[in-house]
């Protein structure tokens, strides 16, 4: 729940800034929180556009398991910009979750994959929008990263970590 009095927030931010001067920042940790099992339809190739080849992959359903339990509402999509010359793909997946207690959570997942230099890199960062008064409000206030666990004939499994 959001507080209307901004003074405590401003003071704590100022204190953190002043205390942090001269200090060395610690590397953040990651904690595994859940897996996203997304079911996908056939890719739709819009063709070559400025910046690469636009590919849209419908998100037709699926589920989330772990600390968050939900199903994926059909109707989302993964919008990909494919650079075939450099072997790089930018991702923007947009979809909605419905939890077991009927709370909707919107997801926007941005990321990149690359095979530059013969090394495979595939990382995305999902952003969650949940009702602040729900048990899932904490999702709004955290940064998440995810990677594919495996590809399936009709979808993908992503593992999600929260940055701590």
């Amino acid at each position: 729940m959001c507080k209307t009095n901004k003074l405590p927030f401003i003071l704590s931010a100022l204190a953190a800034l002043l205390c942090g001067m001269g200090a060395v920042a610690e590397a953040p940790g990651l904690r595994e929180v859940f897996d996203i099992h997304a079911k996908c339809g056939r890719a739709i190739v819009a063709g070559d556009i400025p910046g690469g080849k636009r590919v849209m992959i419908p998100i037709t359903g699926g589920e989330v398991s772990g600390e968050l339990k939900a199903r994926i509402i059909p109707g989302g999509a993964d919008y990909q910009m494919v650079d075939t010359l450099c072997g790089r793909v930018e991702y923007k997946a947009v979809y909605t979750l419905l939890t077991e207690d009927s709370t909707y959570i919107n997801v926007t997942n941005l990321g990149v994959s690359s095979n530059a230099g013969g090394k495979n890199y595939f990382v995305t960062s999902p952003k969650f929008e949940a009702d602040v008064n729900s048990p899932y409000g904490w999702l709004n206030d955290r940064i998440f990263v995810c990677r594919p666990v495996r590809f399936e004939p009709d979808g993908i499994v992503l593992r999600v970590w929260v940055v701590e």
Side-chain angles (χ1 to χ4, degrees):
M1 183 183 232
C2 296
K3 294 185 169 125
T4 55
N5 185 355
K6 294 180 183 178
L7 184 59
F9 173 76
I10 293 169
L11 291 176
S12 66
L14 181 59
L17 178 66
L18 292 175
C19 290
M21 289 184 167
V24 176
E26 285 186 34
L30 297 176
R31 181 173 56 86
E32 184 180 320
V33 285
F34 47 83
D35 285 351
I36 298 172
H37 304 254
K39 300 292 181 193
C40 300
R42 293 182 146 243
I44 301 165
V45 180
D48 294 318
I49 63 171
K53 184 179 297 289
R54 174 62 73 193
V55 177
M56 296 163 285
I57 300 177
I59 298 174
T60 60
E63 64 182 29
V64 178
S65 60
E67 287 185 31
L68 176 63
K69 293 179 183 10
R71 66 183 178 92
I72 299 171
I73 304 289
D78 184 4
Y79 302 93
Q80 301 178 1
M81 179 63 69
V82 181
D83 181 342
T84 55
L85 296 176
C86 295
R88 182 177 189 278
V89 181
E90 291 183 13
Y91 303 92
K92 181 179 182 180
V94 180
Y95 54 98
T96 302
L97 307 177
L98 180 59
T99 65
E100 294 177 328
D101 61 357
S102 300
T103 300
Y104 290 97
I105 301 171
N106 294 314
V107 183
T108 302
N109 195 0
L110 302 175
V112 65
S113 68
S114 173
N115 286 315
K119 294 183 180 180
N120 188 18
Y121 180 87
F122 191 144
V123 179
T124 65
S125 182
K127 179 182 180 208
F128 300 93
E129 296 173 340
D131 184 334
V132 297
N133 297 311
S134 76
Y136 313 100
W138 66 276
L139 294 167
N140 299 315
D141 301 324
R142 300 290 182 269
I143 300 292
F144 298 86
V145 293
C146 69
R147 296 186 106 157
V149 173
R150 69 181 171 274
F151 296 91
E152 299 175 338
D154 63 344
I156 186 170
V157 178
L158 299 167
R159 177 136 313 135
V160 180
W161 293 268
V162 63
V163 178
E164 296 188 319

